[in-house]
Amino acid sequence: MTTQTTTAEAPRVRRVQLPIVPGIGLLLVALLILWLAVNLGKTPSQFFQAFLIGITNGSVYGLVALGYTLVYGILELINFAHGDVFMIGGMITATFAVSVFNLGSNPSLGNLVPAVIVMLVVAMAGCALLNAGIERVAYRPLRSAPRLVPLITAIGVAFIIEDVAFIWKGPRPVQLPAETLPSGAVFTIGTCPNCATYHWNQLFVLMVTVPVLLGLVWLVRYTRRGKAMRATAQDKDAAAMMGIDVNRTISFTFLIAGALAGAAGVIFALYETSIQYNTGFTLGLIAFTAAVLGGIGNLPGAVLGGLLIGFIQDYNEGFSWHAPGSSWTNSIVFGILILILVFRPQGLLGEHTPEGG
């Protein structure tokens, strides 16, 4: 009788506690909307300027986050070396911009466009091969090991890549010429001087990011390689029984993820005009947070998460009314990561699974 009473009471306690979680989430969302609305009313130019910058930064985060989510979707592995592969793409870009093409400030379009195309090809190819090599050497032999083992290995690979970049370029930031990209105004919102301005270098980020994202969607959805990737992500054993080369498919996924990191490295280096050996560590963690926020393993979720993190960062740093400021940006971003893992581990667009909580 005692055992039956205990068993009957336990579900009753859980049913009472469950509604608290969505209640907290709704309260936080309501406070956020109120904060945004007040800032929009007080300083509309700051609001729209932060919005435009958030789209730009969020696009880069989304591009890097796609690499995390591709690898996790097929291997359920968090490739923490991915951010440092992105950093190598930026280093390649800086090297070509300064040493090969001798780009100065405000180069002509005739010099800039071919240089950007070559840098994209070289950085994407180099990072793709680097990422595939990491998978072959460091991850494939550990595929049947406990999950903690490849995770620790990924962290070790990240430090190795950082050390290589440190030896290659030194501890100081590698600088590109100021205004390597055109910085004139594309359009403005409002009446200047109190206006929000969208610049050509911000448009460049979207001009590269959007075609890359569309190409990835086409690859995953409509090609034989993409179908093999989806089949392998669903069930490796069943995919192998259907004649799919699982090892080759996983290596191809790492190639694509590395190419995305290389493209993001080119965009970041040309837009920020500075990159350092440890840049990939911080930006990689932010992109990982974006992937978790959107739903790791979900491609649209990675893009959505990247944009949301970009908006959160730039609204926090760009608003003047009750904004914590730039010194709190990383704390806010990783606080969001903790909240997502606690309250909705599957992310905004991810599916609820037993493993995901």
Side-chain angles (χ1 to χ4, degrees):
M1 288 294 291
T2 305
T3 305
Q4 292 176 351
T5 303
T6 305
T7 306
E9 289 177 354
R12 204 178 309 145
V13 175
R14 287 197 295 268
R15 282 197 295 270
V16 171
Q17 290 179 345
L18 276 174
I20 296 176
V21 173
I24 294 174
L26 289 174
L27 177 61
L28 291 174
V29 171
L31 291 174
L32 176 62
I33 293 174
L34 176 63
W35 178 66
L36 291 173
V38 172
N39 275 283
L40 174 60
K42 285 179 172 291
T43 52
S45 61
Q46 286 184 354
F47 182 92
F48 288 112
Q49 190 66 63
F51 176 81
L52 295 174
I53 298 173
I55 290 177
T56 304
N57 292 334
S59 299
V60 177
Y61 295 150
L63 204 55
V64 180
L66 281 170
Y68 281 105
T69 211
L70 274 174
V71 171
Y72 184 85
I74 202 166
L75 271 185
E76 295 186 351
L77 166 70
I78 305 299
N79 180 20
F80 280 116
H82 186 71
D84 294 287
V85 174
F86 148 82
M87 176 270 298
I88 292 295
M91 290 292 191
I92 292 172
T93 302
T95 302
F96 270 70
V98 174
S99 302
V100 177
F101 293 104
N102 295 316
L103 294 178
S105 297
N106 297 309
S108 65
L109 286 179
N111 292 330
L112 181 62
V113 172
V116 169
I117 293 173
V118 171
M119 286 186 284
L120 277 171
V121 171
V122 174
M124 291 176 73
C127 291
L129 293 174
L130 174 61
N131 214 35
I134 291 170
E135 186 275 329
R136 181 64 184 88
V137 173
Y139 299 152
R140 188 178 298 184
L142 302 175
R143 202 170 289 166
S144 58
R147 288 191 180 184
L148 186 60
V149 176
L151 184 64
I152 295 172
T153 303
I155 296 172
V157 171
F159 281 115
I160 290 172
I161 296 174
E162 285 185 22
D163 288 343
V164 170
F166 183 90
I167 294 169
W168 179 24
K169 293 295 184 180
R172 295 183 178 180
V174 179
Q175 300 290 342
L176 281 77
E179 298 186 1
T180 305
L181 298 175
S183 58
V186 180
F187 62 84
T188 58
I189 300 175
T191 304
C192 291
N194 296 319
C195 62
T197 306
Y198 191 66
H199 299 280
W200 282 105
N201 56 354
Q202 295 172 309
L203 181 61
F204 164 79
V205 174
L206 292 183
M207 289 173 63
V208 176
T209 303
V210 172
V212 170
L213 295 179
L214 292 176
L216 177 65
V217 170
W218 172 79
L219 173 70
V220 172
R221 290 188 178 180
Y222 302 110
T223 66
R224 292 183 62 186
R225 286 285 192 184
K227 293 176 182 177
M229 288 167 62
R230 285 184 284 152
T232 304
Q234 264 191 332
D235 191 323
K236 295 182 186 61
D237 294 332
M241 291 174 62
M242 296 300 294
I244 295 173
D245 189 329
V246 172
N247 285 332
R248 182 177 294 178
T249 301
I250 291 173
S251 294
F252 180 75
T253 303
F254 272 82
L255 276 171
I256 297 301
L260 292 173
V266 174
I267 295 169
F268 181 89
L270 292 175
Y271 179 69
E272 296 290 343
T273 66
S274 176
I275 191 163
Q276 198 170 3
Y277 76 97
N278 58 358
T279 299
F281 178 77
T282 303
L283 193 139
L285 287 178
I286 294 173
F288 170 68
T289 302
V292 173
L293 175 61
I296 195 160
N298 186 293
L299 297 182
V303 178
L304 174 63
L307 290 173
L308 289 177
I309 293 295
F311 290 140
I312 290 167
Q313 279 192 327
D314 290 293
Y315 282 147
N316 172 59
E317 297 175 5
F319 286 169
S320 57
W321 186 79
H322 288 283
S326 58
S327 59
W328 284 89
T329 297
N330 287 339
S331 298
I332 292 171
V333 170
F334 296 122
I336 291 170
L337 173 62
I338 294 170
L339 291 174
I340 287 292
L341 291 174
V342 171
F343 294 127
R344 190 177 172 84
Q346 71 269 30
L348 296 177
L349 300 184
E351 297 180 358
H352 184 86
T353 62
E355 290 184 5

